[in-house]
Amino acid sequence: MQLVSTQTANHSIEILAGEAIALCARALAAVDAARVHQWEELGLTLQQLRFLYQLHEQDGQCVTELAGHMHVHPATITGLTNKLIGLRLVQRTIDRADRRIKHIALTAAGRSLVSA
């Protein structure tokens, strides 16, 4: 008799767990859709998003470091930076010790966009 009750309880738990997972998946899909819509409104490309997430991992990298991490030419980083500066998502600063070195960092808006 108790074996039947245990099996019934386990089955009920499995059903509830499945329903919970399905609800979580629906919630994540809604959040992702909102995030993608925000990116589309800004006109962000996948490469620009990769750039923002790279800065999120390690903010304040120089152009050469970013180019190496993203496997692109430094000129590509300059173009990405210019576009994202225009959107007020990143900022460029000059290294105090060597004015040839430019550091790229997320702005508060850029950090908020990537952290959302």
Side-chain angles (χ1 to χ4, degrees), residues 2 8-9 13 40-42 49 53 71-72 77 79 81-82 84-85 87 91 94 98 102 105 110-111 116:
Q2 190 169 5
T8 303
I13 290 171
E40 287 175 347
E41 282 183 342
L42 290 169
L49 287 169
Y53 278 96
H71 306 289
V72 297
I77 297 300
T81 301
N82 290 340
L84 296 172
I85 285 173
L87 294 172
Q91 60 188 1
I94 297 172
D98 187 342
K102 313 290 189 287
R111 199 170 301 106

Side-chain angles (χ1 to χ4, degrees), residues 9-113:
N10 286 341
H11 182 68
S12 296
I13 290 171
E14 287 178 18
I15 290 171
L16 289 173
E19 290 174 1
I21 291 169
L23 288 172
C24 286
R26 287 176 55 198
L28 285 173
V31 169
D32 281 346
R35 185 181 306 172
V36 168
H37 180 70
Q38 184 180 21
W39 294 338
E40 287 175 347
E41 282 183 342
L42 290 169
L44 294 175
T45 65
L46 287 176
Q47 190 172 39
Q48 291 165 346
L49 287 169
R50 278 186 59 224
F51 182 80
L52 292 171
Y53 278 96
Q54 180 61 44
L55 285 173
H56 182 68
E57 287 181 20
Q58 183 182 347
D59 210 8
Q61 295 179 65
C62 72
V63 172
T64 307
E65 289 173 320
L66 282 163
H69 290 299
M70 293 184 64
H71 306 289
V72 297
H73 194 274
T76 302
I77 297 300
T78 300
L80 291 168
T81 301
N82 290 340
K83 170 69 175 177
L84 296 172
I85 285 173
L87 294 172
R88 294 188 164 101
L89 298 175
V90 301
Q91 60 188 1
R92 179 189 294 125
T93 57
I94 297 172
D95 189 286
R96 292 181 185 196
D98 187 342
R99 295 183 51 83
R100 296 171 297 176
I101 299 173
K102 313 290 189 287
H103 294 277
I104 314 301
L106 292 169
T107 62
R111 199 170 301 106
S112 174
L113 179 75

